[in-house]
Amino acid sequence: MYLRTTKRKNKDGSEIQYFQLSHNFRDPSTGTVKARIIHNFGRVDKLDHADLERLCKSIARICNLEVRDPTEGEKGAITDGGDDIFLPGVTMGETKALGAVWVISALWEQLGIGPVLRKAAKEACLGPDYEKALLAMTANRLCTPESKLGVWERWLKTVHLPSCDHVKLSRMYEAMDFLHERIEMVEREIFFHTANILNLEVDIIFYDATNVSFSIDYEDDEDEDNLRFRGHAKDGSNSPLVSVALAVTPEGLPVRSWVFPGNTTDVQTVEKVKEDLRGWKLGRAMFVGDSGMNSEKNREELARGCGTYLLASRVGSVAEIQDNVLSQKGRFRKISENLRAKEVIVGDGVRRRRYILCFNPEEARRQTHHRQQVLLEIKEELSKHKEKKATAKWAVQLLASGRYGKYLKIGAGDKIVIDQEKVRKAKRMDGKWVLITNDDSISVEDAAKGYKGLLVIEQCFRSLKTTRIKMQPVYHWLPSRIAAHVKICVMALLIQRVAELAVGRTWPRIREDLDRIQATCFKKKSTHFFRRNDIPKEAASIMKILKISNPSEILDINKKAENL
């Protein structure tokens, strides 16, 4: 809770100030921090300061503090254990968020992003504000994602990021063009710097592709450089798309990203991805895909384009898996506490297929319990109706239900009954999933863990697209700006994943603690300074783990107040 100052400018150029008692809270629907106005004190020039003084003394009495009048010659106005909070002639201004942008700026330097961009700008005879513009846009994706106009017009005014205070909107767009022209070099140097300081294992790189939608409803003209085209949207939307491929380490740290036209299929991306990764001289690059990619044609394309693949297989609808893989005898090898796996080879010669059958005992118990509960509900529903004709309205609804229909069938006499064969097959598959790979050199353990790599990629895509960094919808229309927007979001993802892996918590939880570190502005005539609040224990622990020093208690002293 704090006293907030807001301003309103009149048509004649005069300015009116208002005092408000405010409290920061996190919006449960958006996850962003917002200010809630608890009480409006009114215009400063019409406010009875004696009322504020009485309120101040009342609070001080409850908190066992002493209130002194600075006009009586005392140095301090309010003291707490001898530390001065207000000085004579000093007024308190707005409060800005400090913690999250402080950590993001520090990781920006630790991971070599800032130095690489400054070096590139210097070689191009450009100023340091290009790097600062990219820092502002990247940091915004990790806080409260806005358009580039929103970053410049609104967001930068709410955070204490003084190095970006004077970045102009035009410079942001110019910085995106600058990044696009040098992106391959920038991505390479950033990744190898990150791999070096974190001692990353890069013998296997996983990659997958997704698509990102636009805010507009029309496509680009047919041109080799254009990107916005309608394709197969994975979220079912019908807006123009751009395809994004992402290569990550097994830990989910982005290695490199690619941007393709929206009508590009996942399989069509693999040749370009493989060629570019080969140029970086990494280890093996393996395409990891879900069951939607697993078809004979796609496997042939993947084998030609990238050599090796690891794909999830549809367990229930593939006869070969039902007849040969699930029924194969042999012990599962324990990979981890909740992961068992075994290799199953089906066929010989060119028809040889290598499957990895995985099993999670905990998940098996959960699925068994869930199915038993569903079957009890079905039996209870069936017992309510004497006439069990499948044409009855209730029966049709039950058969069409995603929860119940998979265990039902129409039996003798056109009656709805529980299908015991479906129940048996479901029980047989509890806690199991099947992978197929053409890589004979990958171990069963690495293959099983590789599927978790797919989950990591999907988590990265969710974070990029909708949940945290919010890469879509895209508002840019120039191909270079579209590609640069994707690259900025991927840089934000790198910072996010490094923080998450080190701290062991999700970024929203990390940011929630960091947002409690704030900086308040104090003004005196033509100068001002920022003073941060006490750092909460949780936030201090995060910065200690990340090896980031705490911000100073007094920040940016002796700057011109009119520039605020």
Side-chain angles (χ1 to χ4, degrees):
M1 193 178 299
Y2 57 95
L3 191 65
R4 170 178 169 176
T5 303
T6 59
K7 299 176 182 179
R8 177 172 65 83
K9 185 170 288 188
N10 296 323
K11 292 182 179 180
D12 60 1
S14 62
E15 199 173 68
I16 299 176
Q17 289 186 324
Y18 297 85
F19 281 161
Q20 297 170 326
L21 185 63
S22 303
H23 172 68
N24 286 347
F25 74 103
R26 185 170 297 281
D27 190 319
S29 60
T30 63
T32 59
V33 176
K34 297 182 179 180
R36 177 183 288 127
I37 307 303
I38 299 174
H39 178 71
N40 283 296
F41 289 101
R43 290 174 53 162
V44 174
D45 57 340
K46 294 186 177 181
L47 190 63
D48 187 350
H49 284 255
D51 291 341
L52 285 178
E53 184 180 344
R54 285 192 295 272
L55 177 60
C56 187
K57 290 180 179 179
S58 176
I59 295 173
R61 184 175 64 254
I62 295 173
C63 297
N64 196 26
L65 300 173
E66 181 182 358
V67 177
R68 297 178 184 174
D69 186 352
T71 61
E72 295 177 359
E74 297 291 337
K75 182 182 178 181
I78 303 178
T79 64
D80 182 2
D83 294 332
D84 293 326
I85 296 178
F86 289 111
L87 299 174
V90 176
T91 60
M92 185 172 69
E94 61 184 335
T95 297
K96 297 185 176 184
L98 171 63
V101 291
W102 180 269
V103 167
I104 292 167
S105 299
L107 291 176
W108 180 265
E109 297 298 320
Q110 282 185 17
L111 300 175
I113 304 175
V116 167
L117 292 173
R118 287 194 293 271
K119 176 185 174 184
K122 185 176 180 180
E123 290 174 351
C125 299
L126 300 174
D129 50 345
Y130 282 79
E131 178 259 334
K132 297 307 177 186
L134 291 168
L135 168 61
M137 291 183 283
T138 304
N140 172 257
R141 307 317 299 182
L142 291 165
C143 295
T144 51
E146 294 243 22
S147 65
K148 307 306 178 288
L149 175 62
V151 174
W152 173 78
E153 192 173 56
R154 295 182 295 272
W155 181 74
L156 280 175
K157 298 175 183 178
T158 67
V159 296
H160 183 73
L161 194 58
S163 62
C164 303
D165 279 349
H166 303 294
V167 172
K168 297 180 180 179
L169 178 61
S170 59
R171 185 67 80 221
M172 289 186 177
Y173 292 118
E174 291 169 3
M176 294 178 73
D177 297 335
F178 155 77
L179 177 65
H180 179 259
E181 293 170 0
R182 298 159 179 81
I183 190 57
E184 184 176 352
M185 178 275 294
V186 169
E187 282 186 315
R188 184 194 303 113
E189 292 199 21
I190 289 172
F191 173 71
F192 281 108
H193 181 84
T194 303
N196 182 49
I197 64 173
L198 298 181
N199 296 318
L200 297 180
E201 296 287 340
V202 292
D203 56 334
I204 299 181
I205 300 297
F206 302 113
Y207 64 98
D208 198 354
T210 188
N211 44 50
V212 179
S213 62
F214 286 80
S215 61
I216 60 171
D217 195 37
Y218 57 88
E219 300 177 277
D220 284 330
D221 297 330
E222 290 291 341
D223 188 281
E224 62 178 2
D225 294 327
N226 286 337
L227 296 172
R228 295 182 302 186
F229 297 100
R230 284 188 171 84
H232 178 66
K234 299 188 178 183
D235 60 0
S237 66
N238 192 40
S239 60
L241 306 170
V242 62
S243 293
V244 176
L246 183 65
V248 302
T249 67
E251 299 84 9
L253 292 171
V255 177
R256 188 172 177 182
S257 60
W258 295 261
V259 182
F260 299 96
N263 53 8
T264 308
T265 64
D266 291 356
V267 173
Q268 290 173 324
T269 68
V270 297
E271 188 172 353
K272 171 66 174 173
V273 171
K274 180 70 175 181
E275 178 185 349
D276 289 349
L277 288 178
R278 188 185 295 116
W280 283 21
K281 297 181 180 180
L282 299 173
R284 290 175 294 172
M286 177 176 289
F287 185 94
V288 183
D290 58 22
S291 57
M293 283 290 296
N294 194 352
S295 68
E296 189 70 35
K297 181 180 178 181
N298 283 350
R299 289 198 298 269
E300 291 176 1
E301 291 291 334
L302 289 172
R304 280 197 296 267
C306 64
T308 58
Y309 56 77
L310 180 68
L311 302 174
S313 297
R314 294 184 179 93
V315 178
S317 59
V318 180
E320 184 174 85
I321 293 177
Q322 288 287 325
D323 298 338
N324 300 317
V325 178
L326 293 178
S327 60
Q328 184 83 17
K329 295 182 179 179
R331 286 189 173 186
F332 284 96
R333 182 188 307 174
K334 184 176 180 179
I335 307 300
S336 61
E337 188 62 31
N338 281 321
L339 180 60
R340 314 283 191 272
K342 66 178 179 181
E343 181 183 41
V344 179
I345 304 296
V346 178
D348 298 305
V350 294
R351 296 186 61 82
R352 179 180 181 273
R353 302 185 192 278
R354 186 185 186 208
Y355 291 99
I356 308 296
L357 178 59
C358 303
F359 176 63
N360 184 332
E362 183 63 32
E363 181 65 13
R365 286 190 288 270
R366 189 195 67 79
Q367 291 177 355
T368 299
H369 176 74
H370 177 266
R371 185 177 56 259
Q372 290 172 346
Q373 181 64 34
V374 170
L375 291 174
L376 285 175
E377 293 173 8
I378 292 175
K379 291 176 182 178
E380 183 179 347
E381 183 65 26
L382 292 176
S383 66
K384 294 178 181 178
H385 306 276
K386 292 183 180 180
E387 181 57 52
K388 295 180 173 56
K389 285 286 186 180
T391 53
K393 183 178 179 179
W394 67 269
V396 172
Q397 291 176 340
L398 209 61
L399 285 168
S401 167
R403 180 178 176 85
Y404 305 121
K406 57 186 175 182
Y407 299 120
L408 295 170
K409 70 175 182 178
I410 300 174
D414 201 27
K415 293 183 179 181
I416 182 172
V417 295
I418 295 176
D419 190 334
Q420 297 299 333
E421 179 62 21
K422 290 182 179 178
V423 173
R424 185 187 67 79
K425 285 185 177 180
K427 183 178 180 180
R428 189 184 183 193
M429 294 186 292
D430 281 350
K432 296 176 183 174
W433 65 94
V434 178
L435 310 173
I436 184 172
T437 180
N438 66 339
D439 188 353
D440 288 330
S441 65
I442 190 171
S443 66
V444 173
E445 180 178 1
D446 285 343
K449 290 181 177 179
Y451 185 72
K452 289 191 174 181
L454 171 63
L455 301 180
V456 169
I457 294 176
E458 290 179 344
Q459 179 185 359
C460 290
F461 277 139
R462 281 195 300 273
S463 179
L464 271 174
K465 291 171 63 175
T466 54
T467 60
R468 297 169 191 170
I469 298 173
K470 298 182 180 178
M471 183 163 58
Q472 70 176 21
V474 182
Y475 296 93
H476 301 283
W477 61 275
L478 285 176
S480 61
R481 301 271 173 85
I482 295 169
H485 170 73
V486 171
K487 303 299 182 178
I488 288 169
C489 292
V490 173
M491 287 194 295
L493 177 64
L494 174 62
I495 294 173
Q496 172 189 306
R497 289 297 296 156
V498 167
E500 289 177 335
L501 290 170
V503 179
R505 298 167 62 192
T506 63
W507 176 252
R509 296 290 176 263
I510 294 172
R511 187 164 62 86
E512 184 177 356
D513 286 332
L514 293 177
D515 282 341
R516 296 168 62 190
I517 306 177
Q518 299 181 337
T520 302
C521 177
F522 293 90
K523 305 176 186 178
K524 183 177 182 180
K525 294 184 179 178
S526 62
T527 62
H528 84 275
F529 66 90
F530 280 88
R531 178 173 179 171
R532 66 155 174 80
N533 62 335
D534 292 335
I535 299 178
K537 180 175 65 175
E538 296 83 359
S541 175
I542 291 171
M543 289 194 286
K544 183 177 180 181
I545 293 171
L546 294 174
K547 299 179 180 179
I548 297 173
S549 59
N550 294 338
S552 301
E553 185 176 359
I554 303 298
L555 303 159
D556 302 325
I557 199 168
N558 291 332
K559 287 190 176 182
K560 295 289 183 181
E562 57 265 24
N563 290 334
L564 282 177

